[in-house]
Amino acid sequence: VRLKRLSEEVKRLRTQAGATPTNGALLGESEPMRALRSLLERIADSDSTVLISGETGTGKEVVARRIHALSRRRSGPMVAVNCAAVPENLLESELFGHVRGAFTDARADRKGLLALGNGGTLLLDEVADMPLALQPKLLRALQERRARPVGADMELPFDVGVIAATNRDLEALVAGGGFREDLYFRLNVIRVELPPLRARGNDALLLAQRFIDGFATKAGKAVKGMSPAAAEKMLAYSWPGNVRELENCVERAVALTQYEQITVEDLPEKIRDYSRVRLPLVGDD
């Protein structure tokens, strides 16, 4: 009986996925996603700093770009820096820019992201990994809306909307001395918390169908959806890697399948063999 109902749900979601323009992490019918979309609509035109928190793979950059697209700054640039990926000695220059001769390889003046994003939005991704030594400089820049390029004598004004994102517990980092409390309060004016995929119920199937459509088209394969048994496995799995893991799983399954539907055998072994109490379908008794 459940597989029959699941088959009907898969058919419905196939239609829904094709009719919904929203992409990526914002696609979903669950209550957490409806609440998230409502929140983004309400905060988009605010000049306040936004802090997006959520587990790895929940789509923090997708949400940041959605905020930018909804904001009055949408005609300006959207620039981003991954604070964990840029070496500590280069991150200051990346953000604030530098003048010629500021350091060994500074052969010309270079604008930083605060200047390049003027009139638009700056995303500070993985902000928890920003070096402690740089945090007071960023705090002052955000407070004064002025930044001094490395090696320069004068500060330059900038006008950007600032969004920070992290998958770490900033409050715990502050308590442990790993992040400045004053910068945390400056960033955490509006908090947007992204729900993990395991808390989103049938959204996993809706997202899977959207990914199936995209990867099947790209691969030139006539894959229409997933079997009820494969859908059952997807609903049962906990998705520790969230939407990103689901997308990778579907890409693999589309590449492997020999049928018009993804089957259980097309799923990774860890998903086929995963066992826990299943999530109820909406409408289950």
Side-chain angles (χ1 to χ4, degrees):
V1 175
R2 175 171 169 78
L3 285 182
K4 182 179 179 182
R5 290 196 59 253
L6 197 49
S7 178
E8 294 171 353
E9 179 70 1
V10 167
K11 290 178 183 177
R12 185 188 72 79
L13 291 173
R14 185 183 304 165
T15 302
Q16 177 70 14
T20 306
T22 306
N23 281 315
L26 290 175
L27 182 64
E29 301 177 332
S30 64
E31 179 55 37
M33 294 309 294
R34 289 197 296 267
L36 175 61
R37 288 194 293 268
S38 174
L39 175 61
L40 298 188
E41 293 281 352
R42 297 200 307 274
I43 70 174
D45 276 330
S46 172
D47 280 331
S48 299
T49 305
V50 177
L51 177 61
I52 303 173
S53 61
E55 296 177 7
T56 298
T58 48
K60 293 182 287 296
E61 184 170 349
V62 173
V63 171
R65 292 188 180 279
R66 181 60 177 165
I67 293 171
H68 172 73
L70 290 170
S71 75
R72 64 179 178 81
R73 300 176 182 274
R74 57 186 171 271
S75 60
M78 171 87 183
V79 296
V81 59
N82 186 320
C83 299
V86 180
E88 181 174 345
N89 61 331
L90 296 180
L91 187 55
E92 182 176 4
S93 172
E94 188 75 10
L95 286 171
F96 302 122
H98 63 253
V99 298
R100 179 181 178 184
F103 46 85
T104 303
D105 293 324
R107 297 185 176 90
D109 291 359
R110 182 179 184 276
K111 287 185 176 181
L113 291 177
L114 287 169
L116 291 173
N118 217 39
T121 303
L122 169 65
L123 170 61
L124 298 169
D125 201 7
E126 305 294 353
V127 72
D129 292 297
M130 177 167 289
L132 271 172
L134 185 55
Q135 290 180 25
K137 298 177 183 178
L138 176 63
L139 174 64
R140 187 177 188 282
L142 295 181
Q143 289 174 331
E144 303 296 330
R145 293 283 156 173
R146 303 178 68 85
R148 186 193 305 273
V150 178
D153 297 324
M154 297 180 59
E155 294 181 332
L156 303 175
F158 64 85
D159 175 26
V160 297
V162 177
I163 301 174
T166 182
N167 61 2
R168 299 173 64 185
D169 186 341
L170 280 184
E171 291 91 341
L173 282 175
V174 168
F179 200 85
R180 289 182 62 105
E181 185 178 46
D182 46 7
L183 178 59
Y184 167 69
F185 287 132
R186 170 59 60 181
L187 296 175
N188 190 34
V189 178
I190 298 176
R191 184 70 164 264
V192 176
E193 296 191 30
L194 305 192
L197 187 55
R198 61 184 172 274
R200 294 173 52 183
N202 293 8
D203 285 355
L205 300 185
L206 184 58
L207 284 162
Q209 185 61 54
R210 171 60 65 83
F211 293 142
I212 289 169
D213 294 342
F215 287 124
T217 299
K218 189 180 297 185
K221 299 184 73 171
V223 184
K224 305 298 184 185
M226 68 203 95
S227 71
E232 176 90 359
K233 290 290 185 181
M234 287 186 170
L235 276 179
Y237 186 60
S238 64
W239 300 109
N242 293 291
V243 177
R244 187 178 301 138
E245 183 183 9
L246 174 63
E247 183 176 14
N248 291 344
C249 168
V250 170
E251 182 176 11
R252 174 188 185 275
V254 169
L256 290 178
T257 191
Q258 300 176 24
Y259 309 104
E260 288 191 352
Q261 284 189 328
I262 289 171
T263 67
V264 171
E265 289 70 30
D266 300 318
L267 301 176
E269 183 178 358
K270 63 181 178 181
I271 297 177
R272 296 198 306 266
D273 297 343
Y274 190 82
S275 178
R276 71 164 182 166
V277 177
R278 67 168 173 81
L279 294 176
L281 282 172
V282 174
D284 267 0
D285 293 331

